[in-house]
Amino acid sequence: MRSNLFPRLSIAATLLAVVATIALTASSRPAEALTNCTVSNLSVDTEEAQFLQLINAYRPSIAPDLTISVNLNRAASWMAVDLATRSDGVFSHTDSLGRSASTRGTQCDGTQYFGENIAAGGSRATAQAAFNAWQESSGHNTNMLNNSYRQIGIARYYNSAAQYGWYWVTIFSTSNDGTLINPGSSTPTPSPTPSPSPTPPPQSSCAAPSITADYDTSSGGGGTVMFNWAPVNGATSYRIARRNGSAWTVVGTTSATSFQATDASDDPQWRIYVASGSCSPIPGPATVFDPEGLPLCAAPVITNDTDTSPSGAGTVNMTWNAVPGATSYRVARREGGTWVVKATVSGTTYSGADAADDPQWRIYVAAGSCTGLPGPATAFDPS
């Protein structure tokens, strides 16, 4: 929500941060007009739009994506301004007019069932900061993960003269009231009525990534986890999250199909899902797993190599490091446009004749207790 009263400024000093949550079931809504909920601007700024992306990526795969309701956004915007400008400085779900969250919900947005999260603090300027604060609190986190919620109102407001500076409010509803605010648009519009239209180009479905290898160096926790997954058709990036108690914490987003990180002492579950791409829906369904498999086969690292005749027709000698889990290695030599296997050895050295064309050689894990086999190759030209 954009303020006409106070500028949106960065905070030089971090102030006390506070959060509060409430989940309510209200009685049937009386037939009354909107009361004391007028706001000057219902547009969604970039951080509020970012929060919508964060929470939808975070919610369980079985939960529908939340959309921003005009009515819920009005209530959230009004409450954010009220928290930031009330003369008594009280931080509470009870507003300055003495209304409880359920009364305000009835008067401002007309929802029957809803939850409300509020947060404040000088370090709460960004969506990520507000999200992290609520994620770390059980009650707030429960509201964000509740898969019965369908719509949301999101607002932040800054008052340099207020005790906490930044104020955030999110309000959740189990129903869809038929209104919608598109992030980035300053004009709230009703949800459009579907009408016949040309069939859009087919879009692939975002599949849950399939784990191809995973490993944890310490099954009791405190080690390093490594895992690979098969590419998902249409995906351009993947998000990795780790269970933190009852919540999920996003630890990275990558365009690759492999990930490595330090695991904490509780050795929890991890999950991967499509974060962006041309498939649908985004975010995609998640794969949840507990890394405990075999170590990944690594490409051998050459520690020494010589060639008695760099121009060809000599003898090459090579040494490489031991790959964890490997029991044998394959040595191959390029001959024209193909690779020809010259030997399979259980040690980490090789010596053999080189032909006149002096081509590349390569080494990779041929067998062992690591995955996947054969392992990735190291290609080099002995000199």
Side-chain angles (χ1 to χ4, degrees):
M1 175 200 165
R2 294 187 174 83
S3 162
N4 292 327
L5 298 177
F6 299 97
R8 289 180 176 270
L9 302 175
S10 61
I11 310 300
T14 300
L15 302 177
L16 172 67
V18 290
V19 292
T21 181
I22 191 167
L24 301 168
T25 301
S27 58
S28 297
R29 173 180 179 269
E32 57 184 359
L34 296 174
T35 305
N36 293 323
C37 291
T38 300
V39 294
S40 61
N41 194 332
L42 282 180
S43 63
V44 177
D45 70 20
T46 55
E47 290 299 327
E48 292 161 348
Q50 175 65 18
F51 185 88
L52 182 66
Q53 295 181 12
L54 288 171
I55 191 172
N56 278 335
Y58 178 59
R59 283 161 60 78
S61 57
I62 60 171
D65 279 358
L66 298 172
T67 59
I68 299 179
S69 154
V70 173
N71 295 321
L72 293 177
N73 225 50
R74 180 192 301 110
S77 299
W78 189 95
M79 184 59 173
V81 173
D82 187 64
L83 287 170
T85 58
R86 57 189 298 172
S87 58
D88 57 10
V90 172
F91 183 78
S92 169
H93 288 285
T94 300
D95 62 34
S96 63
L97 300 180
R99 296 181 297 184
S100 65
S102 60
T103 298
R104 186 174 59 258
T106 299
Q107 293 183 351
C108 293
D109 53 64
T111 56
Q112 250 183 310
Y113 307 98
F114 69 98
E116 180 178 84
N117 285 355
I118 59 177
S123 61
R124 302 286 188 239
T126 66
Q128 189 69 63
F131 177 84
N132 290 345
W134 285 330
Q135 187 185 49
E136 292 167 2
S137 171
S138 176
H140 304 88
N141 194 59
T142 297
N143 270 347
M144 292 199 298
L145 292 176
N146 190 331
N147 62 18
S148 67
Y149 288 145
R150 298 294 182 269
Q151 287 193 300
I152 190 172
I154 307 169
R156 67 172 189 156
Y157 192 87
Y158 178 66
N159 181 359
S160 61
Q163 180 179 2
Y164 300 122
W166 283 101
Y167 292 79
W168 279 83
V169 178
T170 53
I171 299 179
F172 305 87
S173 171
T174 58
S175 62
N176 187 321
D177 62 14
T179 65
L180 172 69
I181 295 179
N182 290 313
S185 171
S186 60
T187 305
T189 58
S191 298
T193 301
S195 58
S197 59
T199 302
Q203 188 176 42
S204 61
S205 298
C206 288
S210 176
I211 304 300
T212 56
D214 64 87
Y215 178 57
D216 190 341
T217 60
S218 175
S219 59
T224 299
V225 293
M226 299 173 283
F227 38 90
N228 291 359
W229 57 93
V232 174
N233 185 30
T236 56
S237 69
Y238 305 86
R239 187 155 293 138
I240 298 95
R242 176 182 177 277
R243 183 179 290 281
N244 183 9
S246 61
W248 288 95
T249 300
V250 174
V251 296
T253 300
T254 179
S255 58
T257 55
S258 62
F259 186 79
Q260 178 175 323
T262 300
D263 200 11
S265 58
D266 57 352
D267 190 32
Q269 288 180 315
W270 292 70
R271 71 179 184 182
I272 306 173
Y273 52 94
V274 176
S276 63
S278 59
C279 55
S280 177
I282 297 289
T287 293
V288 178
F289 65 104
D290 185 356
E292 58 185 3
L294 301 174
L296 303 176
C297 292
V301 176
I302 304 301
T303 56
N304 188 46
D305 65 87
T306 61
D307 187 345
T308 60
S309 177
S311 61
T315 299
V316 294
N317 302 279
M318 57 196 76
T319 304
W320 57 92
N321 72 317
V323 174
T327 56
S328 67
Y329 305 86
R330 192 154 291 148
V331 181
R333 175 181 178 276
R334 182 183 293 278
E335 296 186 2
T338 62
W339 289 95
V340 177
V341 175
K342 292 299 181 180
T344 299
V345 300
S346 57
T348 57
T349 61
Y350 173 80
S351 179
D354 198 13
D357 57 353
D358 190 33
Q360 283 186 316
W361 291 70
R362 70 180 184 182
I363 305 172
Y364 53 92
V365 176
S369 58
C370 56
T371 59
L373 291 172
T378 295
F380 64 104
D381 186 357
S383 59

